[in-house]
Amino acid sequence: MRSSGLRTAHFAAAAALAFALAALPAHGATYWTVPAVLKSFFASSKKVGYRKVVLSDAEAQEIGKRLGAQVKREWVVYVAESDGKTDGYAIKDEEKGMHEPIDFAVKFSTAGAVERIEILEYREAYGDEVRGDRFRAQFQGKTASDPITAGKDIDIVSGASISSRSVALGVKRDALVLQLALKRGAL
């Protein structure tokens, strides 16, 4: 009898755990892969390659100081070309949301202005409203000279304030990295 009661208790506990896990919201969704977003960004380009950009310690510290956050030193900048002419650039990046990273890609003009951003993967339970056209359109035309700051020149999405700030910070960082790479002739 005792063993039967113990089995029943274990079964009940396992069933309760399974129910609780099934009731949790699904986290994370992939909307774009890097090849797909590059194909969309540069649909009319004949070729998309990449160049590695390595920041010096001083450059990374300077960008980090401007952003108020640490900046990695190694970057991959995608370069779209047609007939020997550069069509534009893109950077795939990530920035931490509330708990999880948000992967995004930024398309830049040859002059370094943001043309488009796309959220590639969003892992949080809520806040993915940053994928909306209205939020993303605010970045168009922005350059490294602009604030690109949520709550300043980028409106914060209600219910996605941390995600709004995270994406804005990431886009600003990418604009600064691209500006530096263009200035030093690395692209």
Side-chain angles (χ1 to χ4, degrees):
M1 185 76 146
R2 189 172 194 175
S3 153
S4 173
L6 196 53
R7 268 186 291 207
T8 303
H10 284 305
F11 178 76
L17 179 62
F19 178 76
L21 291 175
L24 289 175
H27 298 315
T30 300
Y31 303 103
W32 293 91
T33 62
V34 172
V37 81
L38 291 174
K39 187 174 183 178
S40 178
F41 279 177
F42 304 113
S44 62
S45 295
K46 296 205 170 156
K47 169 180 135 179
V48 178
Y50 69 91
R51 299 213 177 89
K52 289 188 178 184
V53 174
V54 180
L55 306 179
S56 69
D57 286 337
E59 291 168 334
Q61 287 173 358
E62 177 59 32
I63 291 173
K65 185 177 169 186
R66 288 183 68 180
L67 297 173
Q70 284 191 322
V71 174
K72 68 182 182 178
R73 291 190 55 227
E74 294 187 20
W75 294 85
V76 172
V77 178
Y78 295 95
V79 182
E81 298 174 314
S82 297
D83 303 320
K85 181 181 158 225
T86 301
D87 298 329
Y89 306 99
I91 296 177
K92 184 263 182 201
D93 199 357
E94 70 176 41
E95 182 61 38
K96 186 176 181 203
M98 181 178 279
H99 303 289
E100 302 290 335
I102 302 167
D103 293 4
F104 58 93
V106 185
K107 177 186 180 194
F108 292 95
S109 70
T110 56
V114 175
E115 291 188 341
R116 184 172 148 200
I117 72 164
E118 291 293 345
I119 304 300
L120 305 180
E121 189 166 355
Y122 193 87
R123 298 171 181 90
E124 302 281 2
Y126 47 85
D128 68 343
E129 293 87 353
V130 294
R131 289 186 54 243
D133 291 341
R134 186 173 175 200
F135 177 74
R136 292 180 302 107
Q138 297 179 88
F139 294 92
Q140 290 177 349
K142 301 283 186 189
T143 68
S145 302
D146 293 306
I148 312 180
T149 303
K152 194 170 194 174
D153 62 328
I154 301 295
D155 292 334
I156 295 172
V157 176
S158 179
S161 57
I162 292 172
S163 296
S164 298
R165 286 183 181 90
S166 296
V167 171
L169 175 68
V171 172
K172 176 66 174 187
R173 178 180 54 236
D174 296 345
L176 290 167
V177 167
L178 182 68
Q179 177 189 52
L180 180 69
L182 290 171
K183 185 177 176 182
R184 74 152 101 121
L187 305 173

